[in-house]
Structures are given as C-alpha cells and as structure tokens.
C-alpha cells in the first residue's frame, strides 16, 4: 500500500496540511486510491514534546515510507534556542539522512494570478520554470563550520564544498527533467570567484557532453542569474544550482508567480528497493507565524506539493493533473485567500474555504 508520513510542523503548517488530508480522503472515497497515513511532529512542535526538532523514531519512520509530506518549521518562540535544536535542524536532518540531493522547485504563473506579481504582467504571464537546487551539500553542511576564537576575536566559519559525484548526480536530475520539458538547462554558480564553482561548471558540462548531448546547456554566474530572473524569466526552462544559491534564487523565482503561498517543492534522492525515489514534499513558504492559527493561510502550495508526490512518488500523473487543474479552475473562478487579494479588494476565503472550493472542483472533474 502507498505509505505517507505527514509532518505538519509549526505555524501555518498544521492548518494547510489539514486541507491536504481532506484531498487524501477524497482520493480514497472517490477514486479508490488508499494511502496508509501516519503523522508525527517536526520542528518546534517536536522540540516542545521531545526536546529535539526531530525524534529518532520519526527519522526512522521517514526512511521507511514511500513519501514524507512536511508543512513548515520554525517560529519566533524558538529563535533563541541553540543552533543544534532549532526547528530548522529537524528539516535539515531529514534532507541529509534521507540523502535528498535534488530539490525541485517549479515556478509557474497561473493565468488568473499574472496581475499579482510585482513584475509587469507580460514578464510573468505563462511563466513555467523549474529550479533544481542541490540540497545535501555545499555551505549548508560543509566542514569545518562553527564560531572559533582567533587571537582576541571570534570568527564564524562555514565551508562551501562540492565533490564531483555530488555535482554529477544533481545535474543528471536537471537534464532528465529538461528532456520532459523544453530541453534547456542553465547552470548557475560563481566560477569567477569560487573554485567550487569552477568544478561545478566543469562537471555539469561534462555530464551534458557525455550523457545528454541533446539537451541545450548554458552557464551563468549566479548574480547575473538573479538579475535575469527578474528581467526576463521566460528565457529559462530548468535552472540547476547549488544549495545556497538555490535557496536564494528559488525565493526570487517564487515571487515572480505572485505569492509564496502558491509554490510546491519535491526533494528527491536515490531510488529505494521498491524503485521509488526517497522523497519529501513541502511548500516553499515558511511557517508564517504572523497569521498562524487564524485560518488565513493559503493551502495551495501544500496541496500542490501533494500533487508532486502523486506524480513523482506514486506514479499517478493523471491524478496529479486532475488536482492541479482543480486548483487552476478555482483560481480562474476568482476564489482567493487573503495573500491573493489584489488592490481592488474583495472577500477572501479561509484556509478551509479554499479547501472546500478545490474539493468541489475535484468532484466536478469526475
Ligand atoms: C528553504 C528554507 C530552508 C533552507 C530553511 C527553513 C532551513 O529556507 O527550504 O528554502 O534554508 O533551506
Ligand atoms: Mg529558503
């Protein structure tokens, strides 16, 4: 049976995840697709109960299931905690121990929302790009790291480190995806100032030449990439980049689409025994503590993350299409959560109200 571990986490995580559970129930009732669902804590919620942002038992469970679905972690309540038990460490541990090296962050602009971007409509209308962010290496995990004493002052140290095999495997993920899209990859690094960037560029080019000669590859310095993303984002198809640049560039790409509340992500690793990749799905938005618990959050990013799970973990592409079309329909009908209200105003629906509308659109699709 298809198994799922749900980790709602902190802030708006539990609210948006509640709407995903309704979709899962709908699939069971209306499509005869059953999931074995378990639920546990991560982040601040786990710290409050277990004294750690990810309990070993939860980590073990995550390794066993077909896919993990995560809401969000973090909040001001935990800002003063020591680094080792911060909510974010729970998420980083999942990524690292499951070896989820390829983080897929699609940035798609729904027609109905083209006016919501802070950029001009013709720059973003019809936008459909995919950022592939390396997720288990680079400065996020490199050693040495820490705050050390040197002479009479302290220095903070983090290390950017990439091996050839780490670069090769994430670039393969990017080339594979490109073949199913518009067959174009742009790789971003800082080869002008960083040796890790020089190696990155060299390895990506080598993998392209030896294994994917049919895919068009270009290289860009990451700072120029940021500028090009806001100048004319439609020049890109797939962007492949390292962990830190990917963190920054994907937030930038997210805003092109109008709201961070819209963007899903998939973090994939190597295939397990059953042939499915190790996988974790999560919205790109954070825990949004300022609106948590008020029923205002937009559940779409989390729902679309579940659609990615249907596609990449469960080989249910047509069910994923159905869910994505339902979201598109609801947006075209003008259903809006508060984050999607334009200057002309209107009455936003609640988190559950958006869930109701999507379920109605799913019913109508049968
Ligand atoms: C992201 C987030 C995380 C990151 C945080 C929550 C650790 O910003 O997924 O983009 O920096 O990777
Ligand atoms: Mg980020």
């Amino acid at each position: 049976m298809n198994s799922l571990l749900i980790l709602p986490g902190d802030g708006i995580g539990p609210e948006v995840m509640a709407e995903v559970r309704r979709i899962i129930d709908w699939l069971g009732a209306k499509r005869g697709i059953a999931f074995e669902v378990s639920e546990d804590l991560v982040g601040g919620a786990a710290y409050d109960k277990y004294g750690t942002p990810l309990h070993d038992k939860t980590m073990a469970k995550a390794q066993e299931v077909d896919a993990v679905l995560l809401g969000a972690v973090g909040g001001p309540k935990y800002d003063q905690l020591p680094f080792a038990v911060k909510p974010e460490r729970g998420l980083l541990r999942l990524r690292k121990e499951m070896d989820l090296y390829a983080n897929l962050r699609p940035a798609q602009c729904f027609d109905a929302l083209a006016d919501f971007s802070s950029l001009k409509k013709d720059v973003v209308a019809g936008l459909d790009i995919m950022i592939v962010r390396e997720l288990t290496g680079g400065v996020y995990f490199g050693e040495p790291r820490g705050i050390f004493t040197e002479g009479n002052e302290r220095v903070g140290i983090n290390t950017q480190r990439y091996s050839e095999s780490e670069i090769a495997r994430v670039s393969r993920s990017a080339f594979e995806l490109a073949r199913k899209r518009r067959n174009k990859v742009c790789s971003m690094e800082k080869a002008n100032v960083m040796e890790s960037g020089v190696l990155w560029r060299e390895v990506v080019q080598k993998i392209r030449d030896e294994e994917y000669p049919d895919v068009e590859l270009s290289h860009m310095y990451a700072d120029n990439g940021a500028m090009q993303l806001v100048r004319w984002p439609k020049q890109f198809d797939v962007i492949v980049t390292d962990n830190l640049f990917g963190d920054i560039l994907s937030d930038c790409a997210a805003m092109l689409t109008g709201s961070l509340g819209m963007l899903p992500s998939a973090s994939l690793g190597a295939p397990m025994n059953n042939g499915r990749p190790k996988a974790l799905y999560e919205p790109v938005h954070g825990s949004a503590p300022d609106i948590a618990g008020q029923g205002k959050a937009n559940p779409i990013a989390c729902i679309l993350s579940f659609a990615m799970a249907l596609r990449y973990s469960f080989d249910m592409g047509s069910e994923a299409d159905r869910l994505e079309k339902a979201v598109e329909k609801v947006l075209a009908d003008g259903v809006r959560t508060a984050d999607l209200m334009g200057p002309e105003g209107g009455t936003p629906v609640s988190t559950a109200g958006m869930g109701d509308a999507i379920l109605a659109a799913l019913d109508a699709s049968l």
Side-chain angles (χ1 to χ4, degrees), residues 338-356:
D339 56 307
L340 301 176
M341 298 312 300
E344 67 281 3
T347 312
V349 296
S350 66
T351 310
M354 181 58 88
D356 292 340

Side-chain angles (χ1 to χ4, degrees), residues 34-296:
F35 290 90
E36 189 186 305
V37 182
S38 45
E39 186 168 323
D40 209 333
L41 303 173
V42 69
Y47 177 80
D48 287 340
K49 180 145 181 222
Y50 305 128
T52 162
L54 187 74
H55 196 283
D56 288 343
K57 272 194 255 167
T58 317
M59 185 66 242
K61 182 80 188 174
Q63 298 282 20
E64 263 168 36
V65 292
D66 294 321
V68 178
L69 217 57
L70 187 138
V73 294
K77 185 178 160 197
Y78 309 102
D79 279 351
Q80 303 311 317
L81 286 179
F83 218 63
V85 290
K86 273 196 189 298
E88 289 78 4
R89 300 307 301 174
L91 175 57
L92 293 174
R93 182 177 175 200
L94 282 163
R95 290 175 178 172
K96 189 69 181 174
E97 292 193 20
M98 293 170 76
D99 203 15
L100 305 169
Y101 59 85
N103 180 217
L104 281 44
R105 298 191 162 185
Q108 245 172 310
C109 186
F110 289 89
D111 285 345
L113 298 183
D115 283 324
F116 289 82
S117 175
S118 44
L119 299 188
K120 294 196 185 88
K121 187 168 179 168
D122 67 313
V123 175
V124 297
L127 180 74
D128 175 12
I129 61 181
M130 175 74 88
I131 298 194
V132 179
R133 166 189 177 193
E134 200 290 329
L135 202 59
T136 51
V139 80
Y140 272 60
F141 297 99
E143 299 281 347
R145 65 182 298 159
I147 298 175
F148 304 96
T149 301
E150 251 179 37
N152 58 3
E153 63 170 354
R154 293 177 306 156
V155 292
I157 296 182
N158 291 90
T159 302
Q160 168 82 337
R161 180 187 184 282
Y162 272 109
S163 68
E164 292 179 292
S165 55
E166 284 175 317
I167 302 167
R169 64 183 184 173
V170 73
S171 52
R172 286 193 185 96
S173 304
F175 290 127
E176 292 291 338
L177 279 163
R179 277 185 174 164
K180 296 188 191 130
R181 299 168 48 93
R182 298 188 299 278
N183 224 26
K184 254 173 45 174
V185 172
C186 180
S187 168
M188 297 187 186
E189 29 56 19
K190 285 284 288 176
N192 50 346
V193 284
M194 296 163 78
E195 283 78 4
S196 59
V198 173
L199 188 69
W200 182 281
R201 187 176 281 222
E202 198 185 299
V203 173
V204 174
Q205 186 67 51
K206 179 164 172 276
I207 298 292
R208 140 73 173 65
D209 293 347
E210 290 176 358
E211 301 172 32
Y212 301 90
D214 53 303
V215 182
E216 188 186 317
L217 171 65
S218 58
H219 303 274
M220 223 178 241
Y221 298 138
D223 53 345
N224 181 29
M227 189 270 275
Q228 296 295 338
L229 261 178
V230 286
R231 190 185 70 84
W232 190 246
K234 286 186 238 177
Q235 70 187 279
F236 299 112
D237 178 17
V238 175
I239 293 173
V240 63
T241 189
D242 77 11
N243 204 344
L244 182 60
F245 294 140
D247 181 45
I248 297 165
L249 293 169
S250 63
D251 262 31
C252 174
M255 208 47 221
L256 301 174
T257 69
S259 169
L260 257 178
M262 300 293 301
L263 287 212
S265 83
S267 303
L268 306 177
M272 301 183 279
N273 288 337
N274 61 8
R276 295 169 174 175
K278 275 261 157 81
L280 179 145
Y281 300 87
E282 57 176 318
V284 171
H285 63 67
S287 59
D290 52 320
I291 57 162
Q294 301 171 31
K296 285 186 185 165

